Amino acid sequence: MEARIVSSAVFFAVGTGLVLHVRRALVRELRQVREVAGAAQNVLLRPLPPCVEGLALAAGRLSASRGASVGGDLYEVAATDHGVRIVMGDVRGHGLPAIGTVAALLGSFRDAAHDEPELPLVARRLERALDRHLRERSRTEHLTGGGAADAPPAEEFVTVLLLEISAEGEIAALNCGHPWPHLLSGHARPLTGADPLPPLGLFPLPAELPVLHCGLLLPGEALVLHTDGMEDERNAEGAFFPLQAVLTEAAGGRTVSPQALVRAVYARLTRHAGRLPSDDAALLVVRNDRPRVPAQPAESGRHARTMS
């Protein structure tokens, strides 16, 4: 009897040791996988510099996929010979398929922003990149799981906002189905209420792509770009996240750093949702820190909206 008890104790101790060893190995492997994933995600959505051409920057993102920091949202800022160019986009859905689409579009923007002299030409480059990516993905899916070889996945689309800020602070925009940014100047308000073009992927872009001229971004003012995961997030009572009011409150009528603004908005968003967000939510703040120049006669109408 005593021998059986001793043998059981030995087997139990050995089994426990093996379980703990396997558990520690799995924890180490999971940590390594997360480190590799984090490095890959930072290559895809590269951390923005704190300042580009006198514009202070900060960005944040929350993914609806647990354990991921990148989903279907994309953004990039590029200092070019044509001005500072910015893209903010939102791929339908999230997870690995969305990340592949994000990679295709960001790669295209990083080249086109420097190569193309006008925003409509940048938009057309993005449209072609999306079409190529979807067709390649469709062919891959056909080879692995059947289906039509040349048909892009159904209902795949991306909302894209392109902005260009000149050395003088003039804002030009081309919007394909994306939420308009907020202008933060003491309080937050939409940059414009103009109707955007359809998202990329739903229909071919029209022959004429209107660029909206949105006045000046004056020193101390900020643009807050976001994806619809921000304003569409509901709390337990079903109320939407009041982004505009939160921005106004966070600014408090004073100039705040882009980093502080991003932290304040995400803190309010997580409290509002009380859980993992139901959709990817990205935020990008661009503040004009350039030296103020003497006021020009037309400055009083700096935020007038005209079409070209």
Side-chain angles (χ1 to χ4, degrees), residues 252-289:
R254 66 190 187 282
T255 301
V256 296
S257 74
Q259 294 82 1
L261 189 62
V262 168
R263 288 194 297 268
V265 172
Y266 276 109
R268 286 287 301 272
L269 179 66
T270 52
R271 289 201 302 270
H272 176 84
R275 49 172 166 69
L276 193 70
S278 57
D279 192 9
D280 301 330
L283 192 73
L284 171 61
V285 181
V286 182
R287 189 184 68 195
N288 188 353
D289 280 358

Side-chain angles (χ1 to χ4, degrees), residues 115-236:
D115 296 342
E116 303 296 348
E118 299 175 357
L119 286 183
L121 298 177
V122 177
R124 295 199 186 279
R125 288 272 292 270
L126 296 181
E127 181 185 39
R128 291 195 295 271
L130 176 63
D131 183 68
R132 284 194 303 270
H133 169 73
L134 295 182
R135 292 191 181 280
E136 289 170 1
R137 196 172 83 187
S138 180
R139 282 193 291 269
T140 301
E141 291 172 353
H142 169 70
L143 292 174
T144 57
D150 294 326
E155 299 183 0
E156 188 80 12
F157 62 88
V158 184
T159 66
V160 171
L161 172 67
L162 294 171
L163 293 182
E164 182 180 290
I165 303 175
S166 72
E168 296 75 27
E170 297 174 351
I171 307 168
L174 198 158
N175 192 343
C176 296
H178 199 80
W180 285 108
H182 287 82
L183 176 68
L184 195 57
S185 179
H187 65 281
R189 59 184 175 85
L191 182 63
T192 177
D195 293 330
L197 296 166
L200 299 183
L202 285 181
F203 310 101
L205 287 175
E208 297 294 329
L209 298 180
V211 175
L212 193 67
H213 293 274
C214 305
L216 296 175
L217 182 67
L218 297 179
E221 294 182 336
L223 287 175
V224 182
L225 291 73
H226 63 94
T227 55
D228 61 9
M230 280 281 178
E231 293 181 313
D232 290 348
E233 190 61 51
R234 296 174 182 263
N235 62 12

Side-chain angles (χ1 to χ4, degrees), residues 8 12 14 19 45 60 81 95 118 133 161 207 283:
S8 298
F12 178 78
V14 171
V19 169
L45 274 183
D81 293 338
E118 299 175 357
H133 169 73
L161 172 67
L283 192 73

